[in-house]
Amino acid sequence: MTRSKATTVSAYLAKLPAERRKEIEAVRAVVRKHLPKGYQETVNWGMISYEVPFSIFPDTYNGQPLTYLGLAAQKNYNALYLMNVYGNKKNEARLRDGFKALNKKMDMGKSCLRFKAAQDIPLDVIGEIIASTPPETMVAMAKASRRK
């Protein structure tokens, strides 16, 4: 699957093949269980997106809601975009330790954690990392990253 044209999460999931949907839904359940209050689940950027709504932070650099997490079925893998791991050495180390404990290899870009099956990633650690960043912290990080 490439970038989805779905406009709702249910439509996004409905377009996935059954096996891919199963893996995305398993990770989505962990995300939703641990997601701090204040984020909204939507479809943006062609994937399931968890964002800081404009009612909390309207002054984004690109006119889009501030993205916290993304979850997508890509062509050859599934992806979980963890914005609070990018540039955060503590969260990155926690995630690497989680993979070591599973005896699995971590396949990650700057924020994109690639996986085939939910069982291949440390869902408990991912849940803890997701729970660790309320929207107010994400907003503060976004503001601090702007050039003055």
Side-chain angles (χ1 to χ4, degrees):
M1 178 166 184
T2 57
R3 188 176 178 146
S4 175
K5 294 185 183 348
T7 58
T8 66
V9 174
S10 58
Y12 182 91
L13 293 170
K15 290 185 177 192
L16 296 177
E19 188 56 38
R20 299 294 292 278
R21 184 178 328 114
K22 176 183 153 204
E23 301 304 333
I24 292 293
E25 285 178 337
V27 175
R28 179 177 176 242
V30 171
V31 170
R32 291 173 54 93
K33 178 179 178 183
H34 295 281
L35 191 69
K37 289 197 184 307
Y39 290 107
Q40 65 183 10
E41 180 184 57
T42 186
V43 174
N44 201 354
W45 312 104
M47 70 182 90
I48 301 171
S49 182
Y50 299 87
E51 304 170 337
V52 177
F54 283 132
S55 60
I56 294 174
F57 185 54
D59 187 29
T60 61
Y61 75 96
N62 62 359
Q64 294 289 323
L66 180 62
T67 302
Y68 177 48
L69 301 166
L71 181 59
Q74 303 294 356
K75 184 177 179 181
N76 296 311
Y77 56 84
N78 297 310
L80 179 62
Y81 297 85
L82 297 162
M83 303 307 173
N84 68 337
V85 171
Y86 175 64
N88 184 316
K89 296 295 182 192
K90 180 181 171 187
N91 281 344
E92 183 181 340
R94 287 170 71 188
L95 190 57
R96 287 190 186 284
D97 290 345
F99 273 92
K100 269 187 198 168
L102 272 181
N103 202 24
K104 299 279 185 176
K105 183 179 181 221
M106 186 167 89
D107 182 5
M108 187 166 188
K110 291 182 179 181
S111 72
C112 173
L113 179 62
R114 293 175 286 273
F115 64 97
K116 296 272 186 185
Q119 68 189 23
D120 294 335
I121 58 177
L123 292 173
D124 56 337
V125 174
I126 289 169
E128 292 169 8
I129 290 171
I130 289 169
S132 72
T133 309
E136 298 77 21
T137 302
M138 199 64 197
V139 168
M141 290 167 51
K143 287 180 178 179
S145 71
R146 290 186 178 174
R147 294 176 193 235
K148 302 215 173 159

